[in-house]
Amino acid sequence: MIERRSLAALLLALPGAGQAQGADPLPSWREGPRKRVLLDFVATVTREGGSGYVPPAERIAVFDNDGTLCVEQPAYPQLIFILDRIRALAPQNPTWQQDAVLRAAIAGDLHGAMAGGHEGLMRLAGAAMAGDTPEAFQQIAADWLKTARHPRWNRPFTALVYQPMLVVLRFFRASGFTNFIVSGGGIEFVRALAEETYGIPPQHVVGSSFALKVTEDAGRLTLLREPRVDFIDDGPGKPIGIARDIGRRPIAAFGNSDVDFEMLRYTTEGSGQRFGMIIRHDDAEREFAYDRESHVGRLARALDAAPAQSWQVVSMREDWAREFE
Amino acid sequence: MIERRSLAALLLALPGAGQAQGADPLPSWREGPRKRVLLDFVATVTREGGSGYVPPAERIAVFDNDGTLCVEQPAYPQLIFILDRIRALAPQNPTWQQDAVLRAAIAGDLHGAMAGGHEGLMRLAGAAMAGDTPEAFQQIAADWLKTARHPRWNRPFTALVYQPMLVVLRFFRASGFTNFIVSGGGIEFVRALAEETYGIPPQHVVGSSFALKVTEDAGRLTLLREPRVDFIDDGPGKPIGIARDIGRRPIAAFGNSDVDFEMLRYTTEGSGQRFGMIIRHDDAEREFAYDRESHVGRLARALDAAPAQSWQVVSMREDWAREFE
């Protein structure tokens, strides 16, 4: 016997339940070709008996994070976090003053902090982010994401996620897809946001990682994050991360910059029904406008390849009715 | 409106549906303390409002593969596969005859093939397993697992999985758990078996991996497996693989040998409800009997630690009513 309450809960959990027949699953998208192609793709792969049908186990969708699901300007949130964290930890680490890059970061000199190039950035990241257990670090990141404020909107970063992408995540999930984040960002940093904000559990986040070390703490086995990069899940690293952690080629990919190029190719160059979408930041008024010349989220190569690859290029200004909640 | 057919399908998909009230979820387990503790643990973590309740998102269970879910004697199936594959590829690789380890493998001389130690084994693995795309390699492994025969039973390896563990996997899944395999074996090799045999999708397999290289093939982005080990998911590697790929500490772990020791510790040394179980091979008649002295699946340290850690030690001979389908 199923109780009435359980049955009701069950019906509510049905794909598509809670939205009347014919209700718009993408209400924050304006009518137009991008919205239409997106709806058509999902209709095709979910139509049982249709020639484009894809069984649920193979409905894998991958989403870049920074610039695709959330704001990445004027700097990646993780970079702002790193600088905040270095300032917070500086009093306990007086030797940092002897390192020019760290000293610049402590002084809030963004230009000086960046002057060390890739190697300097890794030193900053190591200083700010290593030495904790993965769980403790994820909690530190989660607290920061809820309390730190974006310089333009004075809102927490967890509020600066794109409403039209949240409905895409929900629509895909309700259509039997498994959504993954595939991010160049640190894996625990993205996980700190993913479950509560995107409904994506930690095991469905693929990201860059520091090496982990097994150690003991008070007789318990403990993991510690070491200041040594283990994997960079960016550019060509994205298809590698997907193959290793997901083990199945996605049928849909969403990105916004050239470091998503290989992920988009890997996804859409498979056979059968495939979908690739690029979020183009062309809305200076409501968000930011940048592409070819930007240091953050540069979009050139993927934009040039889009027509030949049949990737949909979203205009945030035209295609999205609003950007945030 | 929900059609009658959909509703029926839905009810069948309910946790616990298809088994009458009070039916035994572990029919191939004999009554006794191990079965009782297993049932009690699941009852405790799923009892809403109870003090031991664990929300479904946190119900993560990890299972070793070789020796825990399937037969690993007289040699790991993957090792038998490697030797088979080297013999199959030898005619196209005449230079292999100049390498003593490879020559021994081609001649079917297991002792000689093992004489090169770890380094020799890696050379064998590289020769047998690299150079394909991950998808193509997984297909080769899947075909082998269905057609090669175990030397003792003359049955395919896909048939030599433990029936009592299949019901545990099913019972856990029906109780809202997400099951993961965490194996020292190659990730694609385990994936070749996991979905069809265990109901575990590729994204929920954590394993050892070769490095992957991004390349082009006929204008398409392609991944190739390189003969270079990227990650060994064994011993202390298991908690590292769990932290990186799952991102949440499991609440239940099943293993059978000392290379599961750290995974068992990492799982059961967390706070709250925890469950650790060791499958002990003590059934020479129906399967194999081995522990402290075995080269394959050696079990000594984890066995000694079991009482203090409150890990359940299963006697295959006494606790399991049968071993295979």
Side-chain angles (χ1 to χ4, degrees):
Chain A
M1 252 317 273
I2 295 167
E3 291 171 32
R4 185 177 293 269
R5 193 178 61 86
S6 317
L7 186 58
L10 208 70
L11 297 182
L12 279 173
L14 264 181
Q19 81 201 22
Q21 191 77 22
D24 182 356
L26 301 175
S28 37
W29 288 67
R30 292 205 185 102
E31 300 306 322
R34 261 71 64 190
K35 178 171 181 170
R36 201 156 48 238
V37 174
L38 193 43
L39 292 171
D40 284 351
F41 169 72
V42 172
T44 301
V45 301
T46 55
R47 193 179 297 121
E48 283 194 55
S51 64
Y53 178 74
V54 175
E58 292 169 24
R59 290 182 209 154
I60 303 289
V62 288
F63 298 82
D64 167 56
N65 185 45
D66 296 293
T68 297
L69 299 178
C70 67
V71 171
E72 65 179 356
Q73 293 281 6
Y76 296 120
Q78 189 168 0
L79 181 57
I80 306 177
F81 166 79
I82 287 172
L83 297 179
D84 272 9
R85 185 103 186 113
I86 283 178
R87 278 191 293 270
L89 295 174
Q92 305 149 241
N93 294 276
T95 58
W96 285 359
Q97 294 290 349
Q98 288 153 34
D99 180 313
V101 164
L102 283 163
R103 197 168 54 239
I106 295 165
D109 166 14
L110 191 64
H111 190 77
M114 300 298 101
H118 181 78
E119 201 272 320
L121 264 178
M122 287 299 122
R123 217 152 65 239
L124 286 175
M129 303 205 292
D132 293 301
T133 70
E135 292 101 327
F137 177 74
Q138 189 173 317
Q139 190 55 53
I140 291 166
D143 293 343
W144 183 87
L145 284 161
K146 281 180 195 160
T147 54
R149 301 275 156 165
H150 189 280
R152 173 166 165 185
W153 291 281
N154 194 31
R155 297 179 67 185
F157 288 89
T158 46
L160 298 173
V161 296
Y162 305 128
Q163 166 63 19
M165 293 308 294
L166 293 181
V167 299
V168 167
L169 290 170
R170 210 172 297 143
F171 176 46
F172 269 55
R173 198 178 306 120
S175 304
F177 278 79
T178 306
N179 297 330
F180 288 82
I181 295 180
V182 179
S183 169
I187 194 160
E188 293 96 348
F189 191 83
V190 180
R191 281 174 176 154
L193 178 78
E195 193 156 34
E196 210 174 310
T197 306
Y198 304 136
I200 294 181
Q203 64 263 31
H204 295 162
V205 175
V206 183
S208 299
S209 53
F210 277 156
L212 296 174
K213 183 172 74 174
V214 173
T215 175
E216 299 271 333
D217 180 27
R220 285 162 189 250
L221 186 146
T222 307
L223 297 174
L224 282 186
R225 304 173 83 240
E226 294 195 288
R228 177 166 62 81
V229 170
D230 177 54
F231 179 63
I232 299 282
D233 188 56
D234 228 1
K238 291 202 176 193
I240 290 173
I242 290 169
R244 193 188 62 183
D245 292 358
I246 307 179
R248 178 165 263 154
R249 198 189 282 238
I251 64 167
F254 296 77
N256 78 300
S257 80
D258 283 353
V259 291
D260 302 315
F261 183 62
E262 287 85 356
M263 173 172 84
L264 284 158
R265 284 192 62 192
Y266 182 60
T267 300
T268 62
E269 289 175 3
S271 57
Q273 295 294 322
R274 302 282 157 174
F275 183 83
M277 183 167 258
I278 293 173
I279 311 301
R280 189 177 189 181
H281 295 261
D282 60 357
D283 191 347
E285 199 185 318
R286 293 187 303 179
E287 203 238 8
F288 292 96
Y290 58 100
D291 48 32
R292 295 180 187 277
E293 305 304 325
S294 179
H295 289 290
V296 174
R298 180 169 185 270
L299 174 66
R301 197 160 59 124
L303 196 59
D304 294 336
Q309 294 273 5
S310 301
W311 295 337
Q312 302 297 313
V313 179
V314 167
S315 160
M316 289 175 69
R317 195 181 55 221
E318 292 174 16
D319 293 331
W320 288 1
R322 58 198 180 108
E323 322 252 296
F324 306 120
E325 287 280 355
Chain B
M1 252 317 272
I2 295 167
E3 291 172 33
R4 185 178 292 269
R5 193 178 61 85
S6 316
L7 186 58
L10 207 71
L11 297 182
L12 279 173
L14 265 180
Q19 82 201 19
Q21 191 77 23
D24 182 356
L26 301 176
S28 37
W29 288 67
R30 293 205 185 100
E31 300 306 322
R34 262 69 65 189
K35 178 170 180 171
R36 199 157 50 241
V37 174
L38 193 44
L39 291 171
D40 284 351
F41 169 72
V42 172
T44 301
V45 301
T46 55
R47 192 180 297 119
E48 284 194 54
S51 64
Y53 179 74
V54 175
E58 292 170 25
R59 289 183 209 152
I60 303 289
V62 288
F63 298 81
D64 168 56
N65 185 43
D66 295 294
T68 298
L69 299 179
C70 67
V71 171
E72 65 179 356
Q73 293 281 7
Y76 295 121
Q78 190 169 359
L79 181 57
I80 306 178
F81 166 79
I82 287 173
L83 297 179
D84 272 8
R85 185 104 185 112
I86 282 178
R87 278 191 292 271
L89 296 174
Q92 305 149 240
N93 294 277
T95 59
W96 285 359
Q97 294 290 347
Q98 287 152 33
D99 181 314
V101 165
L102 283 164
R103 196 168 54 239
I106 296 166
D109 166 15
L110 191 64
H111 189 78
M114 299 299 101
H118 181 77
E119 200 272 319
L121 265 177
M122 286 298 122
R123 217 152 64 240
L124 286 176
M129 304 206 290
D132 293 300
T133 69
E135 292 101 327
F137 177 73
Q138 190 173 317
Q139 191 55 54
I140 290 166
D143 292 343
W144 183 87
L145 284 161
K146 282 179 195 162
T147 54
R149 301 275 157 166
H150 189 279
R152 172 165 166 185
W153 290 282
N154 193 32
R155 296 178 67 185
F157 287 90
T158 46
L160 298 173
V161 296
Y162 306 128
Q163 166 64 20
M165 293 308 294
L166 292 181
V167 300
V168 168
L169 290 170
R170 209 171 298 142
F171 176 47
F172 270 54
R173 198 178 306 121
S175 304
F177 277 80
T178 307
N179 297 330
F180 287 82
I181 295 180
V182 179
S183 170
I187 194 161
E188 294 97 348
F189 191 82
V190 180
R191 281 174 176 156
L193 179 76
E195 192 156 35
E196 211 174 307
T197 305
Y198 304 135
I200 295 181
Q203 64 264 32
H204 294 161
V205 175
V206 182
S208 299
S209 53
F210 277 156
L212 296 174
K213 183 173 73 173
V214 173
T215 175
E216 298 270 334
D217 180 25
R220 285 163 189 252
L221 187 146
T222 307
L223 297 174
L224 282 186
R225 305 173 82 239
E226 293 196 288
R228 177 167 62 81
V229 170
D230 177 54
F231 179 63
I232 299 282
D233 188 56
D234 227 1
K238 290 202 175 194
I240 290 174
I242 289 169
R244 193 188 62 183
D245 293 358
I246 306 179
R248 178 165 263 154
R249 198 188 282 239
I251 64 166
F254 296 77
N256 78 299
S257 81
D258 282 353
V259 291
D260 301 315
F261 183 62
E262 287 86 357
M263 172 171 84
L264 283 158
R265 284 192 62 193
Y266 183 60
T267 300
T268 62
E269 289 174 3
S271 56
Q273 294 294 322
R274 301 282 157 174
F275 183 84
M277 183 167 258
I278 293 174
I279 310 301
R280 189 178 190 182
H281 295 262
D282 59 358
D283 191 347
E285 198 185 319
R286 293 187 302 178
E287 203 239 9
F288 293 96
Y290 58 99
D291 48 33
R292 295 180 186 278
E293 304 304 325
S294 179
H295 289 290
V296 175
R298 180 170 185 273
L299 174 65
R301 197 160 58 123
L303 196 60
D304 294 336
Q309 293 273 5
S310 301
W311 296 336
Q312 301 298 312
V313 179
V314 167
S315 160
M316 288 175 70
R317 195 181 55 221
E318 291 174 16
D319 293 331
W320 288 1
R322 59 197 178 110
E323 321 251 298
F324 306 120
E325 287 281 352

